[in-house]
């Protein structure tokens, strides 16, 4: 065998062997769907992690890049550790991670993406369902861990362990909650509860275009967001404790995430009802002027649909209301409202003029309305009886304090649908 030149031999002997890291990973106390996998990803540019749902084509394998600079470090399958009980999670060992080969470095941030019904080496799909987990709270890293959710120094063996209390740790892993929404069943109902840090993720896939009628109730701070096949936000609910989403959906993956506004304490119960059938959804909104109505997308007469106006010295006051159909099925809507009294006349004015008689008797009918139609606008004129509400006291005129209320209710005329309610109240001062 021909020998190497002396200089080259000396260089090879002096060169250090390429270092590598071995990593044991544990995420215990989470229930993952059969067939799920998890990937540990490094943010090499320190510019935040790219949601995998917005990037298709990358392969779920070590060394692959999600987006421009999120590098997959390792791929894990669910654990079958008996000691973790019914709630399992991930426990795996990556024996050789070579930083130089992967293009990563010590100190770069890590996150864990969990994908349902995936195999290592498969490509990421557009709108891919996933949940992510990382923690900056050292108290949630178990005591025997030798690293955080950042890459450790090159060389050596390291443990990254994050366990729930039931498994001997302190971490709240409720955000690693991923379940299929049984949309293909046509309709259904879900009940669960959110801890303060929880994020519950539901997913479903449509073979063709469809419709989602989603409504739910919970406490204040409950939020819902629906994402479409391109990973973009499609619809979102407010934080008033009600969820109402009525959307035409294209084919592909869809992801629904439920979470809470920061600052809540204790568990928050919620109930969701969903249907793939287009429905009628009467929607009332009220306000002191036409540009600041409240109650839009708040349904079924739930709180958050009352406005209070003040009449100084019993002067006339005008309130505003709108009527819409947010559902996917076109329908003629009915509207009724409270009548006036000898102390305060109430007049309802629509685009066609005075519609007081029809609204007070409940015979008002809208044109057929769909979710793409502009709402019908109404003005409600309160005219307090100044003569009857004014008294002389000590040589000066005093307006009696009274409250006058217009309670509005909207419903469907040919379809079973929950009515919506809203209230305008006027206080004389």
């Amino acid at each position: 065998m021909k020998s190497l030149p002396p200089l080259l031999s000396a260089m090879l002997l002096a060169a250090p062997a390429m270092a590598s890291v071995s990593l044991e990973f544990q995420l215990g106390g989470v229930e993952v769907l059969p067939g799920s996998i998890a990937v540990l990803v490094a943010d090499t540019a320190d510019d935040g992690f790219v949601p995998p749902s917005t990037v298709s084509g990358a392969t779920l394998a070590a060394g692959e890049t999600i987006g421009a600079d999120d590098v997959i470090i390792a791929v894990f399958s669910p654990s079958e550790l008996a000691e973790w009980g019914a709630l399992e999670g991930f426990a795996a060992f990556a024996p050789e991670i070579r930083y130089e080969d992967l293009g990563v470095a010590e100190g770069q941030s890590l996150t864990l993406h969990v994908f349902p019904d995936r195999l290592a080496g498969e490509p990421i799909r557009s709108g891919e369902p996933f949940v992510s987990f990382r923690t900056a709270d050292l108290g949630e890293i178990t005591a025997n861990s030798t690293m955080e959710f950042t890459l450790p120094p090159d060389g050596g063996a390291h443990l990254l362990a994050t366990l729930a209390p039931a498994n001997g740790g302190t971490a709240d892993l409720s955000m690693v909650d991923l379940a299929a929404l049984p949309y293909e069943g046509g309709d259904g109902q879900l009940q669960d509860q959110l801890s303060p840090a929880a994020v519950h993720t539901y997913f479903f896939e449509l073979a063709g275009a469809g419709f989602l009628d989603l409504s739910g109730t919970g406490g204040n701070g409950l939020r819902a967001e629906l994402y479409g096949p391109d990973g973009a936000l499609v619809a979102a609910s407010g934080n008033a404790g009600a969820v109402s989403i009525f959307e035409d959906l294209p084919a592909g993956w869809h992801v629904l995430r439920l979470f809470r506004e920061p600052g809540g304490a204790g568990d928050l119960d919620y109930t969701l009802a969903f249907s793939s059938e287009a429905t009628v959804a009467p929607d009332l909104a009220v306000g002191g002027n036409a540009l600041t109505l409240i109650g839009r997308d708040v349904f079924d007469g739930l709180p958050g649909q009352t406005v209070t106006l003040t009449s100084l010295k019993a002067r006339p006051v005008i309130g505003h209301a709108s009527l819409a159909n947010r559902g996917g099925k076109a329908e003629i809507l009915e509207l009724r409202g409270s009548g006036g009294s000898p102390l305060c006349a109430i007049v309802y004015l629509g685009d066609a003029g005075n519609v007081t008689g029809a609204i007070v008797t409940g015979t008002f009918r809208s044109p057929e309305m769909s979710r793409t139609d502009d709402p019908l606008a109404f003005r409600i004129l309160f005219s307090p009886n100044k003569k009857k509400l004014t008294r002389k006291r000590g040589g000066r005129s005093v307006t009696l304090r009274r409250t006058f209320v217009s309670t509005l209710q909207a419903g469907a005329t040919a379809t079973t649908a929950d009515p919506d309610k809203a209230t305008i109240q006027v206080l004389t001062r």
Side-chain angles (χ1 to χ4, degrees), residues 35-39 60 75-78 90 113-120:
S36 298
I37 63 169
V39 297
L60 296 171
V75 181
F76 304 123
S77 297
F90 296 91
H113 296 316
V114 180
F115 302 93
D117 194 23
R118 297 268 76 191
L119 294 174

Side-chain angles (χ1 to χ4, degrees), residues 9 48 52 91 109 114 133 137 167 176 188 221 266-267 290 307 331 360 376 407:
S9 299
S109 297
V114 180
F133 179 81
D137 186 351
N167 302 97
V176 191
D267 291 333
V307 64
E331 177 69 284
V360 171
L376 296 182
T407 301

Side-chain angles (χ1 to χ4, degrees), residues 23 25 27 37-44 47-52 60 64 66 69-76 90 104 107-115 130-136 141 147-152 160 162 175-176:
L23 172 63
F25 180 81
L27 186 78
I37 63 169
V39 297
L40 195 62
V41 178
D43 178 14
T44 61
D47 56 359
F49 293 97
V50 175
L60 296 171
E64 288 287 311
I66 300 175
D69 48 52
D70 293 352
V71 176
I72 298 177
I73 301 299
V75 181
F76 304 123
F90 296 91
V104 300
Q108 291 173 347
S109 297
L110 298 173
T111 194
L112 187 78
H113 296 316
V114 180
F115 302 93
F130 75 99
V131 293
S132 297
F133 179 81
R134 74 182 312 273
T135 178
I141 303 296
M147 61 181 287
E148 307 172 39
F149 268 85
T150 56
L151 284 171
L160 175 55
T162 305
M175 68 179 63
V176 191

Side-chain angles (χ1 to χ4, degrees), residues 21 24 38 43 45 56 85 87 130 181 203 221-222 267 338 352 366 382 413:
V21 168
E24 182 178 355
D43 178 14
S56 60
L87 295 178
F130 75 99
L181 184 76
F203 65 92
L222 177 65
D267 291 333
S338 307
S366 74
F382 293 80
T413 57

Side-chain angles (χ1 to χ4, degrees), residues 319-323 335 348-350 355 359 364 376-380:
H320 294 262
S322 70
L323 171 64
L335 177 66
Y348 296 90
L349 302 170
V355 290
I359 288 180
F364 178 87
L376 296 182
F378 299 89
R379 290 173 295 143
I380 299 94

